[in-house]
Amino acid sequence: MELKSVKDGFDHAVKKQKLCYSKCHETVELLGQEIEQALMKLQASNDLALYADRNSVLADLKNKLKDMAPLSQLEGAHKELNMALSKYTKQLEKLFNPDISKAYRNVDFDFHTVNQIIASHLYRKGLFDIGDCFTNEAGEHEAAAVLKSSFAEMYDILGAMKSRDLEPALKWATAKSEKLKQNGSDLELRLHRQQYLEILQKQGRDRALQYARTFLTPFFTSHQAEFSKMMGCMLFAGRLDSSPYADLLSPKHWDNLSEELTRQFCNLLGQSFGSPLSVTVAAGVQGLPTLLKLMSVMTGKKHEWQSMKQLPVPVDLGREFQFHSIFVCPVSRDQATEENPPMLMSCGHVLCKISINKLSKNFAKPFKCPYCPTEVDALHCKQLYF
């Protein structure tokens, strides 16, 4: 909600800026036109006998400029723009606290790990020169050398794919074929399919059929539906773009291939598809306002949060930041942990162990489920694993 108000304030300031520009441009245009017309009249009256006419032209120009009041119009437009900018600045100062030091815990800082994360981010983005500069200054050059060479290979493959050259990608996928199958990826088949379509379009039906027999045959048993489409493409060799299979030539397939190759390449390196640094920063941006408010409240109440195992308020993040299943006890509102795991009751409902412990008086007697009439024996509850 707060970010929406910031965006609304920004949009309002941009709107005022455009109006100010438009008004200023219009006023200057009118001034130019009036002055040009006056100059044309003056140039037409070269005779000294027409001196009085010149004075009349200048007096007429003066009156017109006075009626237009260009300075007042420009001042009014700039005043509205300055008010919008001033209001937006105050809004930013109110919402974004420049001092965020109170919103993080005092933890042991592992510089080596942080440096590795930053270096990994730079290399996975293809910023190899900047990455080398950083690792040299941080003294992490040797540790990051393997990572650099791996991502350099990935970017060589992706660069070739942008030029519609699939040979490097196919060579890599063939070498990693078994590992890709273990990951459940059909990347190798998709690369061969794309190469087959390129050959069919540019080199003809015979060469495409030869390629299919050589490289696609091992995939036939598990991908028969896919093969039906590819064989259907044979009928439209050289004119596939005007066939029922024209969608197979869409550039989106190249983009999807590049994304899948990047995903699998990172996976085989033991790296996540998304940059850990980018994910951490993005999650921090979302959670920071809540943490700053919490710190402000707790400071006022003189509470210490550094020793807390769990925050007293939830920090809601988007689904893109959820990488594993979690369980929050509906009774205590606490998130399940190894010490306080989720427990399945005989009725099918789930509570955390501490909640069941309290309801059963330390597992001493049965208790009624908070969500149904079933009487539950705490000793028969089973731990759940996500």
Side-chain angles (χ1 to χ4, degrees):
M1 196 67 179
E2 291 180 347
L3 291 179
K4 184 180 183 305
S5 65
V6 171
K7 184 181 182 303
D8 291 342
F10 175 78
D11 292 340
H12 179 68
V14 170
K15 181 180 178 181
K16 289 297 181 183
Q17 186 273 334
K18 290 180 179 179
L19 288 173
C20 179
Y21 170 81
S22 177
K23 189 65 177 178
C24 292
H25 189 269
E26 180 185 351
T27 303
V28 172
E29 283 285 324
L30 288 173
L31 280 173
Q33 290 175 11
E34 294 295 339
I35 293 173
E36 241 180 81
Q37 291 176 7
L39 283 173
M40 291 172 63
K41 291 178 181 179
L42 290 172
Q43 290 169 357
S45 57
N46 290 326
D47 195 341
L48 293 174
L50 299 176
Y51 183 77
D53 289 342
R54 294 182 181 181
N55 287 339
S56 173
V57 170
L58 292 174
D60 186 41
L61 175 62
K62 182 179 179 180
N63 290 331
K64 286 183 177 180
L65 294 180
K66 185 177 180 181
D67 292 339
M68 286 174 57
L71 288 178
S72 298
Q73 292 187 43
L74 294 176
E75 285 176 359
H78 276 86
K79 184 177 180 181
E80 290 184 8
L81 175 59
N82 288 333
M83 287 176 63
L85 290 174
S86 176
K87 185 178 179 180
Y88 182 58
T89 303
K90 291 177 180 177
Q91 187 179 22
L92 289 177
E93 290 176 350
K94 181 180 178 181
L95 293 177
F96 295 99
N97 188 340
D99 181 16
I100 63 173
S101 60
K102 296 178 180 179
Y104 60 79
R105 293 173 182 257
N106 296 323
V107 296
D108 294 333
F109 205 68
D110 187 343
F111 287 95
H112 172 70
T113 301
V114 173
N115 289 337
Q116 287 291 304
I117 291 172
I118 296 173
S120 171
H121 174 81
L122 295 172
Y123 287 141
R124 77 165 57 231
K125 294 296 182 183
L127 304 173
F128 296 104
D129 291 338
I130 300 175
D132 288 343
C133 181
F134 172 78
T135 53
N136 284 331
E137 291 185 5
E140 301 282 353
H141 184 69
E142 292 184 5
V146 176
L147 202 59
K148 176 191 173 182
S149 63
S150 297
F151 281 119
E153 180 187 3
M154 184 183 80
Y155 270 93
D156 288 341
I157 295 172
L158 293 175
M161 290 179 68
K162 286 183 180 179
S163 303
R164 298 299 189 258
D165 179 10
L166 286 170
E167 287 301 327
L170 284 166
K171 183 179 178 182
W172 179 85
T174 302
K176 307 291 183 182
S177 179
E178 289 302 318
K179 292 183 178 179
L180 289 172
K181 289 177 183 177
Q182 291 173 11
N183 290 340
S185 173
D186 61 349
L187 176 63
E188 187 179 5
L189 169 63
R190 291 169 63 182
L191 288 169
H192 280 301
R193 182 191 68 178
Q194 199 66 35
Q195 185 78 319
Y196 163 82
L197 293 172
E198 290 290 305
I199 294 172
L200 184 63
Q201 275 290 90
K202 298 175 181 178
Q203 301 180 33
R205 185 182 293 111
D206 293 339
R207 291 294 301 274
L209 184 59
Q210 181 183 354
Y211 183 88
R213 285 172 174 168
T214 305
F215 297 103
L216 290 171
T217 303
F219 301 98
F220 175 75
T221 305
S222 55
H223 297 85
Q224 293 186 22
E226 191 69 29
F227 271 74
S228 298
K229 288 183 181 179
M230 287 190 282
M231 293 303 104
C233 293
M234 283 279 188
L235 300 173
F236 302 92
R239 52 192 179 90
L240 198 58
D241 52 346
S242 58
S243 74
Y245 305 102
D247 180 65
L248 294 175
L249 298 179
S250 173
K252 70 181 181 182
H253 293 294
W254 286 93
D255 295 337
N256 293 339
L257 267 179
S258 296
E259 182 179 330
E260 178 63 14
L261 186 137
T262 303
R263 187 184 302 278
Q264 294 303 325
F265 201 103
C266 292
N267 192 3
L268 295 184
L269 283 177
Q271 299 279 331
S272 60
F273 174 63
S275 165
L277 182 62
S278 297
V279 172
T280 302
V281 171
V285 168
Q286 282 197 22
L288 188 58
T290 302
L291 293 175
L292 287 171
K293 281 187 176 180
L294 173 63
M295 294 311 101
S296 178
V297 171
M298 296 191 72
T299 301
K301 294 183 177 181
K302 297 181 179 181
H303 289 169
E304 178 58 44
W305 79 292
Q306 293 287 344
S307 58
M308 287 184 176
K309 292 184 178 180
Q310 187 173 339
L311 294 174
V313 294
V315 179
D316 295 323
L317 299 177
R319 292 190 62 84
E320 65 271 22
F321 300 109
Q322 297 178 14
F323 300 99
H324 54 82
S325 299
I326 60 171
F327 175 76
V328 177
C329 179
V331 173
S332 65
R333 305 297 181 185
D334 291 333
Q335 184 174 316
T337 62
E338 290 184 4
E339 297 78 19
N340 185 28
M343 305 290 289
L344 178 67
M345 298 183 291
S346 57
C347 60
H349 291 110
V350 182
L351 300 178
C352 275
K353 186 175 181 179
I354 292 178
S355 296
I356 291 178
N357 187 23
K358 291 180 179 178
L359 291 171
S360 63
K361 306 298 182 183
N362 200 19
F363 296 92
K365 62 177 184 178
F367 63 94
K368 179 180 172 298
C369 172
Y371 292 94
C372 70
T374 305
E375 192 173 75
V376 178
D377 185 347
L379 296 175
H380 292 162
C381 295
K382 297 179 180 179
Q383 182 174 339
L384 290 180
Y385 296 90
F386 291 95

